[in-house]
Amino acid sequence: MLSISEIVSVMQQKFNASAADNLDLIYQFEVEDEDEESFHMVIRGGKLEVNRGSNNNANLTLSMSSETLESMVAGKTDGVSAIKTGDVRSAGDVLLADKLTQLFPV
């Protein structure tokens, strides 16, 4: 299993800047394992900035286990499906979950 830092690194490598050209969004990820971690991604004008910790202005917050996050990043689990099955809990604009596949293609 990958660490949260390794998962974030993979996401940064997969980031599709052209899909983010006209966006101004904040995605927050709450990882609920024994070592709870949170990080947020600011996507603005085709650029990605990743920061540890929470952001009160997040457009969408996704809460899940590190295993689920790793599965999503690997393309084994779709974010919208994971929300529907309860593997991921969301707060905010849930429609933005679908955009993750365009921003971070497998």
Side-chain angles (χ1 to χ4, degrees):
M1 182 173 311
L2 297 174
S3 70
I4 299 303
S5 294
E6 291 169 323
I7 292 171
V8 168
S9 178
V10 170
M11 292 177 80
Q12 288 173 310
Q13 292 169 17
K14 291 183 174 189
F15 181 65
N16 178 6
S18 63
D21 275 344
N22 298 315
L23 297 180
D24 186 2
L25 299 171
I26 300 172
Y27 286 94
Q28 181 160 313
F29 295 85
E30 300 287 341
V31 181
E32 302 170 327
D33 291 331
E34 60 277 350
D35 297 328
E36 289 191 19
E37 287 192 58
S38 62
F39 65 94
H40 60 277
M41 297 183 164
V42 178
I43 299 170
R44 188 172 290 130
K47 296 190 173 148
L48 171 67
E49 176 186 323
V50 181
N51 298 293
R52 288 194 175 273
S54 300
N55 186 309
N56 293 333
N57 296 316
N59 300 93
L60 177 63
T61 298
L62 300 171
S63 303
M64 70 200 82
S65 69
S66 59
E67 184 179 332
T68 299
L69 179 58
E70 183 175 350
S71 182
M72 287 173 55
V73 171
K76 297 177 185 172
T77 302
D78 173 75
V80 174
S81 297
I83 291 171
K84 289 179 182 177
T85 61
D87 290 333
V88 173
R89 289 184 321 286
S90 64
D93 188 349
V94 72
L95 296 177
L96 293 175
D98 196 38
K99 202 156 228 8
L100 288 171
T101 56
Q102 297 165 8
L103 294 168
F104 304 97
V106 179

